[in-house]
Amino acid sequence: MHIIKPEWLSHHGERKDFEVYSCHVSPDGSRLVTAAGDGHVRIWSTDAIFNAGDPNYSKPKQLASMSHHSGTIHVVRFSPNGRFLASGADDKFICIYTLDPNPPPHTGTFGSNEQPPVENWRIFRRIVGHDNDIQDLAWAHDSSILVSVGLDSKVVIWSGHTFEKLKTLSNHQSHVKGVTFDPAGKYFATASDDRTIKVFRYTPPGPNATSHDQASNFVLEATITKPFEHSPLTTYFRRCSWSPDGNHIAAANAVNGPVSSVAIIDRGQWNSEINLIGHEGPVEVCAFSPRLFSSTAIDEANRDENGYSNQSLVSVIACAGQDKALSIWNTQHPRPLLITEEFTRKVISDLAWSPEGNQLFLTSLDGSIIALVFQEGDLGFVADAKENEKSLSRYGAGRRVGLIESTESYMLEEKSKAGEIKGVEGRMGELMGDKPINGIKTGGSTDIPIPTMILPSNDPDRPVNGNTNTQPVADSRPQPKELKAEKLKQRVTIDPNGRKRVQPIQISSFSGGQSSLPKPQILAASTVIAGSKVEGPNSILDLSKPWDGLPPGGLAALLLGDKRRVTDINGESSPQVERQIARVSQGGATPILTSSPNGAHLTQSQPGQIGPDITPDWIRPAVLNPSLSLSQVRLAVPKLRASFARRIDVNGNTVLKADGSAQEAVTNTSVATPSESVLEVKNPSGVSLTGRAADREPARITATRRGQSLWQDYLPRNVLLITGNHEYWAAACEDGSVCVWSPAGRRLLNPMLLESQPVILESRGWWLLCITAVGLCHVWNLHTLSSPHPPISVAPVLEIASQYLGQVPTSGPAITSARLNSQGHIILCMSNGDGYTYSPSMYTWLRLSEVWWAVGSQYWNSTDPSVGTLQSSTLKPLPVKKDGEVDPAEISSGIIPALERNTTNECLLKGRAYYLQRLVKQLLSREGYEGFESGVSVAHLENRIAAALELEARDEFRQYLTMYARRIGSELLRGKVEELLGSIMPIAETEETNGDDSNKVEIKRGWDTSGDRLCGWSRRELLIEVVGILGKHRELRRLTVPYARVLGQFDGEQADEDLEAMEL
């Protein structure tokens, strides 16, 4: 290893060398850039540094020096493509430089000792986006974006092509002092004084990307806090680095107990199990070598058929900090390869590796710039650059998923660009007055003809009935170029006082970037000719940027005129306003004026609000539809709340509270876990903006994930309810309309209008359920845009017919929850404990659970472990088949136990079934009710089986079927056993024994006989299990043995003996 420290390699001052804060090496390795406290960015020749000991070396040492900052420069970074150089300083600006191929001026700066530049580096952009010092910069490895961080706690993302601000991230709570990029192009990480490292996922934007189309990009992936919980806040930087193979992040200023360390964070898990310990003070900067190394030299014997090395490759990292020591490690040895103590007199501020990976440059606050040149074998043997690509390929580096290139795609791209350019030129011509005489070009696409001359009525060529095929008549009017030149002439006017004034020319504020959003346009009424059909604007007032295009006073001043007297319009002035301005200006204050259509006036101070702005839980009751007065069902309408939210987890299920209801009234989206998605609604609660009650602010809907905003939309109506999952989001408004969005915020269909206000809104997969205030249930499949049945009323479920059977009407039950299963079946839970579902095939409500089974059945709250393991699918991930589809028979598992638990909670635990329990106890001891409990228990099992069939609950059906078979077998219910066996097997089989017709067994048809499967199970498999359960009962062998023979469970001779034994 050689240490090179030339005397000329520094930022010299009059008395001492300035502190050097940053350095970086160009992608080709020929230039070293440094930044210091003198406000200069200096570019050095690395060849001159390596040959500093050669007295015969005569080539230039300093290539260029730029001083476009007004303060200390903290960071400089070359772009990976070598085209740009970026610098950030404490003046809050970022300067982008580019190398001009033209030769530089051969004169130095006047009044300075700077040498004339060798290379012509000029300022390309000067961008601002921070409110405080800029601490670090980093380029993406494809140079698509530039990320800057600073002491304002912001992370600002810039386009690497246009340097437009794409997004500002405010996830950190304190100064951000370091940033690094994933070499695979998937993530970037930032380090902050809030003692966290945050990893953001991103997709490389295109060259024409804007902040609008990058709203859903740059999403927070993980927050790492463990190794930094007690890290000191005394470091000036927290410069972290990503390994060249993409596996690790080296994070500076970590702690391991009381000892300072460097944390090695694993990719994907984002945890730190390895710490590099050895520095006595906090580490401020880490830097991985850009190349991988091997322990031995790589030759043809160590390569595979593809040319890659067979050896295990390691990465090398350099660390430095406040202890003025430099350490170099690799990922194979637990101890450092190199330690240099007291290497500099002050803190080491930055490290930079050469592209070859065997030269290291470092800077210090004592003004020194040092180069370390490692010989072959000091750090290992440098592997080929393609080894990096091989390691990064497993993370998807270099792959653009879904991008299919073809000749047609390139032709379409060129055609689209040509259309945009044509539209820009046409719009620019309109704004500058360069219009065609015979028509107006709008958007570069459609010519709108206008009449050039009104012909006399006896002209045979006059157009009839709007025919516009008539050729224009030549006239002697000026040509467009003459008109343009005439308009650009400066005109002299004379004011009332006799003074000559040059009338100013209005210069358009047109910008080169064209927005794809529709532009509001106002037509001049004078251009519309009576009786003519004009399909486009003749003259357009561009209102797409009202802050640029409108004069003071706004749109009213533009259309009606500005009556201001303060600003000089016609040479007149208002004495009253002038006196007010003079009175305010006496104390040295600058008067603030407000423009309005009635003139300019002094701005009146508004009293500030005392205390916090309290948002009410709800604004007012919803406005009811008049149809409720005629409806037999009237459900309570939710109150209009100021703000509420709905959360879904990673599986797309609604996050439930302890009572099983959806967590909807959550307005602080920060309580959501990073993996949850949140849809938040904010209804307007203020007064009208125009004086009319209808003119209020729109309702704002915002979707977020991992703390980042995905999309935002506005509705002109107040929102009552929201729901959603991974397939869509839905919102129900106060006027009875339902709006649906995709996960990305795209409107899937037009608003659906209902007959009254929504009361319940629930989703499941592509199914959407909405129950209105008049008791109608609407179910839609948003994937097929269809409904399984017409709207159905909940009147039968509310027991309206039975409420008037007594002497006085009684209150009916209420709906406590409404759900959907995978097939779009409605599941309702009632306040009286009953559970219902609607059968689309039978067009009727089915009662699945009720308190009668709770007090009379022996199987209620069964301790059978097989039943206890059945869990509602809303609490577990959905099972998926091999082809990727969800099994509908699996999805409904757990619905029946959930309904029975609701019956227990509503009736038994709350004491509502007290009198019914007393009745059952008395019936059990009365004569004639000896089989009451047994009959109710068997009926309960039959009800469970029927419910499982209706809901296609596969697991529940098999469990209840086996329980039912054991029960009817133990009670020797021959009729039910015979029906059960005949219902399972749909094909009629005939068994004859000894020619006796009495032994003929006909398997009856029952249940759903289509196909060889029943509720997702093979009928043969179910029959084998039921026959095995019933086979132990000798009294039932006459029924079970013929089925066993059909199933082939034993040979024919043994079956004949069994039949003879049964006859005897």
Side-chain angles (χ1 to χ4, degrees):
M1 180 188 72
H2 297 282
I3 300 176
I4 304 174
K5 187 180 179 182
E7 183 180 355
W8 50 264
L9 187 60
S10 65
H11 289 247
H12 294 293
E14 295 181 358
R15 297 182 179 180
K16 65 173 184 177
D17 294 341
F18 287 95
E19 299 90 345
V20 184
Y21 288 92
S22 181
C23 65
H24 199 241
V25 184
S26 62
D28 59 0
S30 62
R31 302 176 183 89
L32 172 70
V33 60
T34 58
D38 59 351
H40 282 73
V41 174
R42 303 183 186 272
I43 300 178
W44 313 88
S45 171
T46 56
D47 185 60
I49 297 174
F50 297 145
N51 292 278
D54 186 1
N56 298 323
Y57 188 84
S58 60
K59 294 182 180 180
K61 301 179 179 64
Q62 180 174 307
L63 303 180
S65 176
M66 296 86 74
S67 59
H68 295 280
H69 287 283
S70 60
T72 301
I73 305 175
H74 292 154
V75 58
V76 283
R77 295 291 183 262
F78 280 105
S79 64
N81 58 12
R83 182 182 177 186
F84 299 109
L85 170 64
S87 63
D90 59 4
D91 60 358
K92 310 173 188 177
F93 286 97
I94 299 175
C95 292
I96 309 296
Y97 311 91
T98 185
L99 180 59
D100 194 337
N102 298 321
H106 294 285
T107 58
T109 305
F110 179 77
S112 67
N113 296 326
E114 291 290 336
Q115 300 178 358
V118 178
E119 295 180 343
N120 188 9
W121 287 85
R122 60 180 179 85
I123 189 75
F124 181 75
R125 290 285 189 277
R126 195 165 184 258
I127 54 181
V128 59
H130 287 272
D131 301 328
N132 210 327
D133 299 3
I134 296 172
Q135 292 296 102
D136 204 5
L137 297 171
W139 293 85
H141 285 262
D142 58 355
S143 301
S144 60
I145 58 174
L146 171 68
V147 174
S148 60
V149 298
L151 300 184
D152 56 356
S153 306
K154 294 180 181 179
V155 178
V156 184
I157 302 159
W158 311 86
S159 170
H161 306 276
T162 62
F163 297 99
E164 177 186 353
K165 184 192 296 184
L166 299 181
K167 198 169 187 179
T168 300
L169 306 175
S170 302
N171 300 82
H172 284 289
Q173 305 301 319
S174 187
H175 310 320
V176 189
K177 297 182 176 180
V179 58
T180 182
F181 265 90
D182 169 26
K186 306 298 181 184
Y187 305 98
F188 67 86
T190 57
S192 170
D193 273 352
D194 60 3
R195 296 188 172 96
T196 65
I197 283 186
K198 295 187 182 294
V199 182
F200 298 88
R201 174 185 289 272
Y202 77 99
T203 301
N208 299 324
T210 62
S211 58
H212 177 74
D213 53 32
Q214 297 298 310
S216 59
N217 203 356
F218 312 107
V219 180
L220 179 63
E221 178 74 13
T223 300
I224 307 164
T225 59
K226 184 177 179 181
F228 314 101
E229 294 175 349
H230 304 287
S231 62
L233 303 179
T234 58
T235 58
Y236 201 74
F237 300 107
R238 288 176 178 257
R239 285 172 171 159
C240 46
S241 179
W242 212 301
S243 63
D245 56 2
N247 290 333
H248 309 288
I249 303 175
N253 200 9
V255 291
N256 188 352
V259 182
S260 297
S261 67
V262 176
I264 305 299
I265 301 170
D266 296 331
R267 182 194 186 104
Q269 301 296 329
W270 310 120
N271 54 10
S272 176
E273 301 294 338
I274 302 175
N275 288 274
L276 306 181
I277 301 175
H279 285 270
E280 297 180 358
V283 177
E284 293 204 5
V285 56
C286 304
F288 273 101
S289 174
R291 301 287 285 273
L292 297 175
F293 292 81
S294 62
S295 57
T296 60
I298 301 177
D299 52 15
E300 295 299 329
N302 298 330
R303 300 179 186 271
D304 57 13
E305 60 275 6
N306 297 324
Y308 295 105
S309 173
N310 293 326
Q311 304 181 35
S312 60
L313 303 179
V314 298
S315 54
V316 174
I317 179 176
C319 308
Q322 293 184 357
D323 58 354
K324 297 168 284 185
L326 172 69
S327 64
I328 299 180
W329 312 66
N330 70 8
T331 54
Q332 192 174 16
H333 295 85
R335 296 182 178 273
L337 303 178
L338 171 68
I339 297 179
T340 58
E341 296 182 357
E342 300 296 332
F343 202 53
T344 58
R345 297 189 303 271
K346 291 186 179 181
V347 177
I348 298 176
S349 56
D350 204 0
L351 300 170
W353 290 89
S354 66
E356 294 79 11
N358 51 9
Q359 293 105 19
L360 176 64
F361 297 88
L362 63 88
T363 59
S364 173
L365 298 185
D366 62 0
S368 59
I369 304 173
I370 305 175
L372 284 77
V373 180
F374 298 93
Q375 303 298 321
E376 186 176 10
D378 290 347
L379 303 178
F381 296 88
V382 180
D384 297 338
K386 63 180 181 180
E387 299 289 349
N388 290 25
E389 300 175 0
K390 177 184 176 183
S391 300
L392 296 175
S393 61
R394 55 181 171 176
Y395 301 122
R399 293 200 304 263
R400 296 293 299 273
V401 179
L403 182 61
I404 303 176
E405 297 183 354
S406 62
T407 305
E408 292 80 2
S409 64
Y410 287 117
M411 293 175 62
L412 181 60
E413 181 179 356
E414 293 298 328
K415 186 176 181 180
S416 176
K417 291 181 179 179
E420 291 181 0
I421 295 174
K422 189 175 181 182
V424 171
E425 293 176 350
R427 185 168 179 81
M428 187 65 178
E430 292 174 6
L431 293 174
M432 297 302 296
D434 190 9
K435 303 179 185 178
I437 295 299
N438 296 335
I440 295 175
K441 207 79 167 178
T442 58
S445 60
T446 305
D447 288 336
I448 303 173
I450 61 173
T452 60
M453 186 174 184
I454 301 178
L455 302 176
S457 59
N458 55 0
D459 194 331
D461 295 332
R462 181 176 181 177
V464 181
N465 294 332
N467 185 8
T468 59
N469 295 327
T470 305
Q471 298 295 330
V473 178
D475 53 16
S476 58
R477 288 180 295 179
Q479 297 300 320
K481 293 183 179 180
E482 298 177 4
L483 292 174
K484 182 177 180 181
E486 182 68 22
K487 291 181 179 180
L488 292 178
K489 291 181 180 179
Q490 292 183 339
R491 299 178 181 179
V492 179
T493 59
I494 300 176
D495 61 8
N497 297 328
R499 292 175 296 181
K500 292 184 179 181
R501 299 189 58 191
V502 178
Q503 184 175 356
I505 302 175
Q506 180 180 2
I507 303 298
S508 171
S509 61
F510 173 78
S511 61
Q514 281 291 314
S515 174
S516 59
L517 299 177
K519 296 179 173 57
Q521 299 172 346
I522 295 181
L523 307 185
S526 60
T527 62
V528 181
I529 300 178
S532 63
K533 182 179 180 180
V534 181
E535 298 179 357
N538 288 336
S539 60
I540 302 174
L541 301 179
D542 185 11
L543 304 183
S544 59
K545 294 184 177 180
W547 53 88
D548 290 336
L550 295 181
L555 182 61
L558 175 66
L559 299 179
L560 305 178
D562 197 344
K563 299 180 181 180
R564 293 175 300 160
R565 302 302 182 185
V566 178
T567 56
D568 191 5
I569 299 177
N570 293 322
E572 301 177 0
S573 61
S574 175
Q576 181 179 2
V577 179
E578 293 293 346
R579 287 194 297 271
Q580 295 178 359
I581 295 176
R583 185 168 56 254
V584 174
S585 304
Q586 288 178 356
T590 301
I592 301 176
L593 304 180
T594 300
S595 297
S596 66
N598 297 325
H601 55 84
L602 291 174
T603 302
Q604 301 295 328
S605 60
Q606 300 294 334
Q609 181 178 358
I610 301 176
D613 186 8
I614 302 175
T615 302
D617 294 337
W618 56 277
I619 302 174
R620 55 172 173 78
V623 179
L624 301 182
N625 195 300
S627 61
L628 287 176
S629 60
L630 303 176
S631 174
Q632 61 177 345
V633 178
R634 302 180 184 180
L635 302 181
V637 179
K639 292 180 179 180
L640 183 62
R641 290 166 287 181
S643 60
F644 57 98
R646 190 72 175 263
R647 298 161 53 192
I648 60 173
D649 57 18
V650 293
N651 298 319
N653 301 321
T654 301
V655 180
L656 302 178
K657 295 188 293 187
D659 58 355
S661 60
Q663 284 193 359
E664 189 171 278
V666 179
T667 57
N668 185 10
T669 57
S670 62
V671 301
T673 62
S675 59
E676 293 178 355
S677 299
V678 180
L679 185 71
E680 184 179 6
V681 173
K682 290 186 178 180
N683 288 314
S685 57
V687 297
S688 173
L689 301 179
T690 62
R692 294 195 314 165
D695 297 335
R696 297 179 181 272
E697 297 178 1
R700 184 170 56 187
I701 299 179
T702 306
T704 59
R705 181 183 298 146
R706 300 186 181 97
Q708 297 294 323
S709 176
L710 299 179
W711 56 270
Q712 193 174 63
D713 201 353
Y714 299 90
L715 294 178
R717 301 165 185 86
N718 295 316
V719 179
L720 293 179
L721 302 169
I722 54 175
T723 187
N725 50 45
H726 283 346
E727 306 294 346
Y728 64 88
W729 291 103
C733 300
E734 188 180 14
D735 65 342
S737 60
V738 178
C739 301
V740 183
W741 297 267
S742 68
R746 179 175 58 90
R747 293 285 186 111
L748 293 181
L749 69 162
N750 303 99
M752 298 178 290
L753 300 182
L754 307 179
E755 65 282 345
S756 61
Q757 285 77 14
V759 174
I760 296 175
L761 190 68
E762 289 294 335
S763 61
R764 182 66 178 273
W766 282 104
W767 295 99
L768 177 62
L769 166 66
C770 181
I771 301 179
T772 63
V774 295
L776 289 183
C777 296
H778 299 262
V779 178
W780 304 283
N781 188 326
L782 300 181
H783 186 63
T784 60
L785 299 182
S786 60
S787 178
H789 51 75
I792 46 101
S793 175
V794 296
V797 173
L798 299 178
E799 300 181 1
I800 291 181
S802 62
Q803 302 307 315
Y804 301 94
L805 296 179
Q807 297 180 355
V808 294
T810 58
S811 60
I815 300 175
T816 58
S817 67
R819 296 288 186 272
L820 289 169
N821 73 343
S822 63
Q823 302 301 307
H825 291 188
I826 307 172
I827 310 296
L828 297 182
C829 293
M830 313 300 294
S831 60
N832 61 358
D834 292 354
Y836 297 90
T837 185
Y838 185 78
S839 174
S841 58
M842 301 178 63
Y843 298 101
T844 186
W845 289 97
L846 302 178
R847 184 184 289 114
L848 305 184
S849 176
E850 57 179 320
V851 68
W852 176 254
W853 310 122
V855 298
S857 173
Q858 296 174 342
Y859 292 94
W860 194 263
N861 290 335
S862 173
T863 58
D864 192 327
S866 60
V867 179
T869 57
L870 294 175
Q871 186 182 13
S872 176
S873 60
T874 58
L875 303 177
K876 63 179 181 179
L878 303 181
V880 180
K881 295 181 181 179
K882 294 182 179 180
D883 57 0
E885 297 182 357
V886 179
D887 191 346
E890 290 279 1
I891 259 185
S892 296
S893 296
I895 291 181
I896 300 175
L899 293 177
E900 293 187 352
R901 285 193 295 270
N902 175 72
T903 303
T904 301
N905 296 334
E906 294 290 344
C907 297
L908 300 184
L909 299 183
K910 294 182 179 180
R912 296 177 179 173
Y914 172 74
Y915 291 102
L916 187 58
Q917 288 175 325
R918 291 184 58 186
L919 173 62
V920 171
K921 289 182 180 180
Q922 293 180 7
L923 291 177
L924 293 177
S925 59
R926 294 186 61 181
E927 184 179 358
Y929 290 91
E930 292 79 4
F932 173 78
E933 189 174 13
S934 175
V936 173
S937 300
V938 172
H940 180 214
L941 290 177
E942 294 169 350
N943 186 78
R944 282 180 167 180
I945 294 175
L949 274 173
E950 178 65 29
L951 299 175
E952 300 184 22
R954 185 172 184 263
D955 293 337
E956 296 177 17
F957 176 78
R958 185 160 186 170
Q959 295 298 332
Y960 296 151
L961 182 64
T962 54
M963 294 169 62
Y964 180 67
R966 293 190 186 97
R967 183 63 183 231
I968 62 177
S970 63
E971 296 191 6
L972 303 178
L973 302 177
R974 294 177 57 91
K976 293 190 177 183
V977 170
E978 183 178 2
E979 287 184 356
L980 176 63
L981 295 174
S983 300
I984 295 176
M985 184 66 71
I987 303 175
E989 297 286 348
T990 303
E991 286 292 330
E992 297 183 1
T993 305
N994 298 329
D996 189 358
D997 293 341
S998 61
N999 293 330
K1000 182 185 297 184
V1001 178
E1002 181 181 357
I1003 302 179
K1004 300 180 180 179
R1005 303 176 65 88
W1007 288 338
D1008 184 11
T1009 59
S1010 59
D1012 58 348
R1013 304 187 69 82
L1014 181 61
C1015 198
W1017 298 99
S1018 170
R1019 291 178 180 268
R1020 182 181 180 85
E1021 182 181 352
L1022 293 177
L1023 186 61
I1024 292 175
E1025 184 174 4
V1026 172
V1027 170
I1029 293 174
L1030 299 175
K1032 65 181 179 180
H1033 302 286
R1034 295 186 177 182
E1035 295 82 356
L1036 302 177
R1037 286 185 179 178
R1038 187 177 183 85
L1039 300 175
T1040 57
V1041 170
Y1043 286 93
R1045 182 183 295 114
V1046 172
L1047 297 174
Q1049 293 186 349
F1050 43 79
D1051 53 23
E1053 295 181 358
Q1054 186 178 356
D1056 293 341
E1057 294 176 359
D1058 292 339
L1059 289 176
E1060 291 177 0
M1062 284 188 292
E1063 290 178 358
L1064 295 176

